[in-house]
Amino acid sequence: MRDVAVIGVGMQKWGELWEKSLRDIFTESALLAIDDAGVDHIDSMYVGCMTSGLFVGQEHLGSVLADYLGVAPIPALRVETACASGGAAFRQAYFDVASGAHDIVLAGGVEKMTDVDGGGATYALSTAADAEYEVYHGVTFPGLYAMLAVAHMHKYGTTRDQLSHVAVKNHRNGAKNPLAQYPFEVTLEQVKNSVMVADPLTILDCSPITDGAAAAILCPLDMAKKLSRKQPVKVLSSAHATDSIALHSRQDLSWLSAVEKAGQVAYKNAGLTPKDIGFVEVHDCFTIAEICVIEALGFFEKGKGGRGAESGETAIGGRIPVNPSGGLKSKGHPVGATGVAQIIETVKQLRGDCGERQVKGAKVGMTQNMGGTGGSCVVHILGSV
Amino acid sequence: MRDVAVIGVGMQKWGELWEKSLRDIFTESALLAIDDAGVDHIDSMYVGCMTSGLFVGQEHLGSVLADYLGVAPIPALRVETACASGGAAFRQAYFDVASGAHDIVLAGGVEKMTDVDGGGATYALSTAADAEYEVYHGVTFPGLYAMLAVAHMHKYGTTRDQLSHVAVKNHRNGAKNPLAQYPFEVTLEQVKNSVMVADPLTILDCSPITDGAAAAILCPLDMAKKLSRKQPVKVLSSAHATDSIALHSRQDLSWLSAVEKAGQVAYKNAGLTPKDIGFVEVHDCFTIAEICVIEALGFFEKGKGGRGAESGETAIGGRIPVNPSGGLKSKGHPVGATGVAQIIETVKQLRGDCGERQVKGAKVGMTQNMGGTGGSCVVHILGSV
């Protein structure tokens, strides 16, 4: 397989984008990525999107978006693995370049979530859970993650304040990200005392409903050095793992085995260990998710992830900065776009372009994007060249 | 890139499978494919499905189906490009093996279409058309293909009887396919006089609503010769092209440019021409589609596709047999599975396993799977080893 680099990234401010349609927001981000890369064409593209059929009544997204971007008749494919769809699109683009099939490939992600009412969005998202065994009985994602939180608190003594510290830390980072949906700080008291969604998770433990897109341009590393005006970033490894999407089928509610597996494969393929990672963008769809993920990726011992944000170890400047972008919590979570946005933050950090939220001196960054309650997980490790 | 072979295929009878869920029908076909290949594990899998979110309220299919098949935590991804999703799943599996990322990869497709009422199915399928410009105004797929038919009849003099001949020929083939949903013959008069759906298309010009799945196992060619008990079939080329999914954006309603483009790329990459193809499985979602496709693939001159079935040239035993399986028309059209089922028929034909519908002496077969009214097209060429 050929070595692969990221040479361009593009993303606009996320939020409730009432005046734009799905195809508009994707095209704007894709054009920014193409411009950032400085290329005059692309050979192939992949789009991560979870459920545009339910959100906006439009499937067949690869072709729609290639047409609006003006790149048809190139191959253009939508991929889906729930909220990890963006990471999966990046992974397929990586394979496309690595295999030698195509040279300049766009990996994008998009979700337009606000064109349905609140119940519609909750239902659309619930299709990432087990329709026959979980959703049928009425549980939705805040409820599922609340069960993970209760299990983790019961087994390891994780506290309500530790959950809050995750939200506080991510909003502190996101306040320095001009593209974030909610770029403001919150306090421990605000998180704990905000409206209850599913005990113990309050509304400030939850990532928001967001419209947004993100795009990146990949090419062979040896071509990147000639093509790109900016410093390319190398893809050091790509991993994808699966697990039962239904919580009742798992041995341990407090452990995300697909995250552990994807992390192991990613470390092995890159020849690295957790100690070599300078910062990580993780899938904090709920505060408890970040706690479980940083354990499964080996940054904290099992059961001790709650100490991460509380102790300051996961802050920018800490031992292992987690979600310098603000994470899903503050930056927003247009589900299909999130995985690509994690790549964008990692590329910008490795380029040293992150201003006030810059992680100093990092040469290697990791992204961790997951679907549902961890039924799928996509991990990438990227490094400076 | 490594040479890739298909070493196993699996499919059960398609139809209205009320007693089975999506995960059941996929798993049954996948197990048949694994058994046919004689392998004891798979390393990665891809699933083509158009819109399980709208049909059965379940996204996150890669993980659900990997779990039910008992192969988690391997990477498992759903891909979507409307009715060409199955072909796209096979293509991604091909890249996965060709790149060297994985050795034994499953490409599957599935759609469970009967768990919604008739209006629900028509709406779900309409998401393959342009939601903002076509569907919003009330047009559905029979109407869109009726426009293609009218344009073709007006420009080239294609006749009502020529449309009927496509249905008659495909049902004649499908009557010899024990896995077909509608394995019976129809007459010219029955097609012409059946209930009108969208003038000039009658119900017997339309492919049906179907529950079904299909699966194939791919591996490196050099491994295939050691692994497989059966004669492997080599993937000679893979191509994917896109076009505007909205008819009003096209220069010529009677010409499918994404089909032409995908065909050109597939021929070029295989070093072949239409004359080298022994038979072809095409996407006859409506009778007019087969007529347009066999022109765009170069088997008939522009405007003369209507003569194919009428003259007998596309019959088994004719110059270029088209849809020996019975096609979507007789075999059924569970949209996400169709592209993989075309691969299965091609593999079985090249193995000489097709009994009464066997195309004699063919060494090379082609598959053509498309999304919407040709907004996406995936073409593969397979050959005997």
Side-chain angles (χ1 to χ4, degrees):
Chain A
M1 304 220 297
R2 302 193 288 187
D3 284 337
V4 178
V6 183
I7 57 168
V9 295
M11 175 176 159
Q12 288 199 308
K13 186 172 171 66
W14 286 357
E16 297 182 13
L17 307 177
W18 301 105
E19 74 286 7
K20 293 176 184 175
S21 74
L22 183 147
R23 59 189 80 182
D24 296 328
I25 58 180
F26 176 84
T27 303
E28 288 173 356
S29 290
L31 288 173
L32 286 175
I34 290 169
D35 183 58
D36 189 50
V39 294
D40 62 3
H41 73 285
I42 57 174
D43 298 319
S44 168
M45 69 182 240
Y46 294 86
V47 181
C49 183
M50 177 181 156
T51 185
S52 53
L54 288 165
F55 276 125
V56 297
Q58 181 70 69
E59 307 282 10
H60 212 176
L61 274 194
S63 293
V64 177
L65 299 177
D67 185 26
Y68 272 74
L69 189 54
V71 297
I74 69 164
L77 184 64
R78 176 244 187 146
V79 304
E80 181 268 319
T81 179
C83 317
S85 298
F90 185 81
R91 177 174 159 85
Q92 293 309 117
Y94 165 73
F95 281 149
D96 200 342
V97 176
S99 72
H102 295 102
D103 286 333
I104 304 176
V105 178
L106 186 146
V110 64
E111 210 83 46
K112 183 79 171 76
M113 302 173 71
T114 61
D115 288 352
V116 290
D117 61 24
T122 299
Y123 173 69
L125 291 168
S126 78
T127 61
D130 192 311
E132 297 180 14
Y133 293 93
E134 292 181 324
V135 184
Y136 180 83
H137 295 283
V139 70
T140 58
F141 272 96
L144 291 164
Y145 272 98
M147 290 189 232
L148 297 189
V150 169
H152 207 276
M153 293 165 107
H154 178 72
K155 190 162 182 178
Y156 299 115
T158 300
T159 67
R160 169 63 258 183
D161 271 1
Q162 288 177 330
L163 296 176
S164 301
H165 275 289
V166 173
V168 169
K169 181 263 294 174
N170 288 349
H171 273 279
R172 188 191 312 128
N173 296 348
K176 297 166 184 158
N177 185 347
L179 303 183
Q181 179 174 14
Y182 293 129
F184 52 71
E185 300 202 18
V186 297
T187 65
L188 281 181
E189 290 66 34
Q190 285 174 319
V191 178
K192 184 166 59 180
N193 298 325
S194 63
V195 64
M196 185 62 74
V197 176
D199 191 11
L201 303 178
T202 72
I203 190 99
L204 287 176
D205 285 299
C206 310
S207 60
I209 300 290
T210 311
D211 300 328
I217 308 288
L218 297 83
C219 76
L221 181 62
D222 55 9
M223 188 180 293
K225 292 169 182 171
K226 296 167 204 157
L227 266 183
S228 182
R229 296 168 299 194
K230 298 186 177 174
Q231 186 65 18
V233 167
K234 185 179 173 184
V235 183
L236 300 177
S237 66
S238 173
H240 177 185
T242 52
D243 189 9
S244 166
I245 67 169
L247 290 187
H248 64 257
S249 296
R250 299 189 193 165
Q251 290 195 313
D252 182 351
L253 274 189
S254 64
W255 188 250
L256 299 174
S257 69
V259 180
E260 178 186 32
K261 178 70 182 176
Q264 287 171 341
V265 172
Y267 290 128
K268 184 182 172 199
N269 289 351
L272 298 173
T273 73
K275 288 184 179 159
D276 299 310
I277 306 298
F279 62 92
V280 59
E281 286 281 310
V282 307
H283 196 96
D284 59 320
C285 48
F286 296 89
T287 50
I288 183 64
E290 177 167 315
I291 289 172
C292 294
V293 166
I294 60 178
E295 295 175 11
L297 291 176
F299 297 116
F300 287 82
E301 284 177 40
K302 189 177 276 197
K304 297 190 175 170
R307 300 183 189 176
E310 187 182 40
S311 67
E313 288 172 89
T314 58
I316 294 171
R319 176 172 65 82
I320 173 69
V322 177
N323 282 326
S325 71
L328 288 54
K329 186 68 206 73
S330 166
K331 189 175 64 212
H333 184 28
V335 286
T338 283
V340 180
Q342 293 178 326
I343 297 286
I344 292 177
E345 178 71 8
T346 304
V347 168
K348 286 182 175 177
Q349 288 284 352
L350 293 173
R351 283 178 177 174
D353 284 348
C354 284
E356 285 187 86
R357 68 180 194 283
Q358 181 66 43
V359 177
K360 294 197 173 65
K363 300 293 181 194
V364 176
M366 173 183 264
T367 63
Q368 179 273 336
N369 185 203
M370 69 187 173
T373 47
S376 58
C377 182
V378 178
V379 170
H380 286 96
I381 304 178
L382 281 70
S384 300
V385 178
Chain B
M1 306 220 298
R2 302 193 287 187
D3 284 337
V4 178
V6 183
I7 58 168
V9 295
M11 175 175 158
Q12 288 199 308
K13 186 173 170 65
W14 287 357
E16 297 183 13
L17 307 177
W18 302 105
E19 75 286 10
K20 295 177 183 174
S21 74
L22 183 148
R23 59 189 79 183
D24 296 326
I25 58 178
F26 175 84
T27 303
E28 289 174 355
S29 289
L31 288 172
L32 287 175
I34 290 169
D35 184 57
D36 189 51
V39 295
D40 62 2
H41 73 286
I42 56 174
D43 299 318
S44 168
M45 69 182 239
Y46 294 85
V47 181
C49 182
M50 176 180 157
T51 185
S52 54
L54 287 165
F55 276 124
V56 298
Q58 181 70 70
E59 307 282 10
H60 213 175
L61 275 194
S63 294
V64 178
L65 299 178
D67 185 26
Y68 272 74
L69 188 55
V71 297
I74 69 163
L77 184 63
R78 176 245 188 145
V79 304
E80 181 268 318
T81 178
C83 317
S85 299
F90 184 81
R91 178 174 158 84
Q92 294 308 119
Y94 165 73
F95 281 150
D96 200 341
V97 176
S99 72
H102 295 102
D103 286 332
I104 303 177
V105 178
L106 186 146
V110 63
E111 210 84 46
K112 185 76 170 80
M113 301 174 72
T114 61
D115 288 354
V116 289
D117 60 24
T122 300
Y123 172 70
L125 290 169
S126 79
T127 61
D130 192 312
E132 297 181 13
Y133 291 93
E134 293 181 324
V135 184
Y136 180 82
H137 295 284
V139 70
T140 58
F141 272 97
L144 290 165
Y145 271 97
M147 290 190 232
L148 298 189
V150 169
H152 207 276
M153 293 165 108
H154 178 72
K155 190 163 181 178
Y156 299 115
T158 300
T159 67
R160 170 63 259 183
D161 271 0
Q162 288 177 330
L163 297 175
S164 301
H165 276 288
V166 174
V168 169
K169 182 261 296 174
N170 288 350
H171 273 278
R172 190 189 314 129
N173 296 348
K176 297 165 184 159
N177 185 346
L179 303 182
Q181 179 174 12
Y182 293 129
F184 51 73
E185 299 203 18
V186 297
T187 65
L188 282 181
E189 290 65 36
Q190 284 174 320
V191 180
K192 184 165 59 178
N193 297 326
S194 65
V195 64
M196 184 63 73
V197 176
D199 191 10
L201 303 177
T202 72
I203 191 104
L204 286 176
D205 286 299
C206 310
S207 60
I209 300 290
T210 311
D211 299 330
I217 308 288
L218 297 83
C219 77
L221 181 62
D222 55 8
M223 188 180 291
K225 292 169 181 171
K226 296 167 202 155
L227 266 183
S228 182
R229 297 168 298 192
K230 298 188 179 174
Q231 186 65 18
V233 168
K234 184 179 174 186
V235 184
L236 301 177
S237 66
S238 173
H240 177 186
T242 51
D243 189 9
S244 165
I245 67 168
L247 289 187
H248 65 257
S249 296
R250 299 188 193 165
Q251 289 194 312
D252 182 352
L253 273 189
S254 64
W255 188 249
L256 299 174
S257 68
V259 180
E260 178 187 31
K261 178 71 181 175
Q264 287 171 342
V265 172
Y267 289 127
K268 185 182 171 196
N269 289 351
L272 298 174
T273 71
K275 288 185 178 158
D276 299 312
I277 306 299
F279 62 92
V280 59
E281 286 281 311
V282 307
H283 196 94
D284 59 320
C285 48
F286 297 89
T287 50
I288 183 63
E290 177 168 315
I291 289 172
C292 294
V293 166
I294 59 178
E295 295 176 13
L297 292 176
F299 296 116
F300 287 83
E301 285 178 40
K302 188 177 279 196
K304 297 191 176 169
R307 300 184 190 175
E310 188 182 37
S311 67
E313 288 173 88
T314 59
I316 294 172
R319 176 170 66 84
I320 173 70
V322 176
N323 282 325
S325 71
L328 287 56
K329 185 68 208 73
S330 166
K331 190 176 64 210
H333 183 29
V335 287
T338 284
V340 180
Q342 293 178 327
I343 297 287
I344 292 178
E345 178 71 8
T346 304
V347 168
K348 287 182 175 176
Q349 287 284 352
L350 293 172
R351 284 177 176 174
D353 284 349
C354 284
E356 285 188 84
R357 67 179 195 283
Q358 180 68 43
V359 177
K360 295 198 172 64
K363 300 293 180 194
V364 176
M366 174 182 263
T367 63
Q368 179 274 337
N369 185 204
M370 68 186 173
T373 47
S376 58
C377 181
V378 178
V379 170
H380 286 97
I381 303 178
L382 280 71
S384 301
V385 178

